[in-house]
Amino acid sequence: MTFSILGLIIDCFALFVLESVIYQPYNPGGGLMLFSGIVITILVVAARKLPADFLKTKQSEPDWGPRKFAIVGTLLFPQPSMIVDIVLAIFILTRAFKSMGARNNQEQKVAFGIGLVFPIVVFGIIASIGLGNVLIVVADLFFVLFSRRLWRKWHQWTLMHSTAIQTGLPGFGEPPAPLFP
């Protein structure tokens, strides 16, 4: 165990020095280095706390063939992160829908829809930095402009009709019209 920890420490410092020399502007920063060290420490402590027979195999021939093990291995890869994503999504959606209400919630619906797509736009912009991919930047810019216009329209409509009963919704290119003629 001591040899492994020592080897990991030497490897980390050697890799850092090599990366800093080869890629001159490379600097992961103190926060990333500290966080990585904390995570490694937590994993080592957790591994030491597990019982010795945690993943012990039986002393017999395999029950499954290689194809089944390949399928199980493939299915296992994304499962933990997908389960966490699903549980988190269910929690967030139930909180959002309980908080949204059933009346005068047009602004909230528009904001929720924009919020669902906004991270994709941000990652698109970040991914296109240095690549010079104009299409991604233009598409993201159009989304921002569209969202801004949509938000202003629904905000104005909500202010004008905050106490009225909703019988119809304004079109995208039309000014907000009164609900009752």
Side-chain angles (χ1 to χ4, degrees), residues 124-134 136-137:
I125 291 172
I126 292 170
S128 65
I129 293 174
L131 298 176
N133 192 338
V134 179
I136 293 174
V137 174

Side-chain angles (χ1 to χ4, degrees), residues 91-113:
F91 173 75
I92 291 171
L93 284 173
T94 54
R95 289 285 293 150
F97 280 100
K98 285 181 181 178
S99 301
M100 191 174 290
R103 295 186 314 263
N104 294 328
N105 60 2
Q106 287 78 21
E107 273 184 294
Q108 287 77 9
K109 288 178 183 177
V110 170
F112 189 64

Side-chain angles (χ1 to χ4, degrees), residues 22 36 47 68 160:
I22 295 172
S36 298
K68 194 168 189 177
M160 289 178 63

